[in-house]
Amino acid sequence: MTPADRMAARFTRYVIVLALVGGVANLGGELAVPAESRSIRAHSSGSLGAILADEQPHVRERYQLYGRLRDLTDGATIVVPRDLLDVDTLELIAGLDVEIAPNRRRITEGKLRLLPDGAESDVTEPTVGSSELYPYTIALASDDPDRLLVYLTRRTNTILIVDPPTAAAMELP
C-alpha cells in the first residue's frame, strides 16, 4: 500500500468516526431539549389550530386564534372592528376575507353569559407583535359559517367571534 493510499484510508476512517460521533451528539442534544422546542416532533392532530396550540407559548399566543379560525371556516368573511385583529394574518393564515367595520362594537360582559355550549376560549395578541394579551372566545352555531362577526367587551377586552345565528341568539347588535 502506498503512502497516499494509507493516508486516504486514515482520512476515511476519521470522517466516518467524526460523522458517527456528531450524529450521536446531535441525537443526545435533541433529547435534552424540551419537547416543545424540538425541531421535529409529533402533534396531536394535523389541523393548523391543533399544531399551533402545541407550539411554544409565544407562537400559540400569536397565531393559535388564526389557525383555529382556519380549521372552523372555509373561505368565510369576517367583519373586524378597525384594527382589533391583524388583517394580513386573517387573510393569509386563517384564509378569511376581511371586512373592516367603521367602529369597535363593544358589548357588556353580561353578554358572555349567554354563550352557547361548546364555545372555545384562550388568549391571543390582538395584533401580531403586540405586547398585550386579550382573552378570546369563539362561539359558532353552524359547522361551516360563511360570515363571522367580531365584538369586544367593554371592561375585560375579551374578543368575541360569533356567526350571525349566534349573534342573533345572544341579541348582539
Side-chain angles (χ1 to χ4, degrees):
M1 189 178 258
T2 66
D5 290 339
R6 280 192 299 250
M7 192 177 199
R10 189 178 313 148
F11 178 75
T12 303
R13 283 192 300 260
Y14 284 139
V15 168
I16 291 171
V17 168
L18 286 175
L20 289 172
V21 168
V24 169
N26 190 15
L27 179 62
E30 186 73 16
L31 294 175
V33 172
E36 64 271 2
S37 298
R38 291 184 187 156
S39 56
I40 299 175
R41 61 191 174 91
H43 292 279
S44 60
S45 169
S47 73
L48 185 59
I51 290 171
L52 292 171
D54 292 342
E55 285 301 319
Q56 298 174 359
H58 70 280
V59 173
R60 182 176 53 249
E61 291 163 355
R62 186 170 289 178
Y63 297 111
Q64 180 186 8
L65 169 63
Y66 303 102
R68 190 65 190 128
L69 288 174
R70 183 179 193 93
D71 292 346
L72 292 172
T73 61
D74 185 22
T77 300
I78 188 167
V79 181
V80 182
R82 276 193 278 170
D83 57 351
L84 183 58
L85 294 172
D86 193 283
V87 173
D88 293 332
T89 309
L90 281 168
E91 291 174 344
L92 298 174
I93 293 181
L96 298 170
D97 294 326
V98 180
E99 286 181 18
I100 304 296
N103 59 10
R104 290 190 177 195
R105 290 177 288 194
R106 296 260 184 182
I107 59 172
T108 63
E109 280 72 12
K111 292 288 185 182
L112 294 178
R113 284 178 261 166
L114 302 174
L115 285 171
D117 293 337
E120 301 176 31
S121 298
D122 210 331
V123 295
T124 190
E125 294 179 5
T127 56
V128 174
S130 170
S131 60
E132 298 177 279
L133 290 178
Y134 283 18
Y136 74 85
T137 300
I138 302 172
L140 305 177
S142 61
D143 291 336
D144 191 19
D146 59 348
R147 190 168 182 80
L148 300 173
L149 307 171
V150 179
Y151 296 90
L152 188 67
T153 60
R154 289 197 177 118
R155 286 184 293 150
T156 60
N157 286 334
T158 299
I159 299 168
L160 177 62
I161 301 171
V162 295
D163 54 359
T166 304
M170 294 176 64
E171 298 177 356
L172 297 175

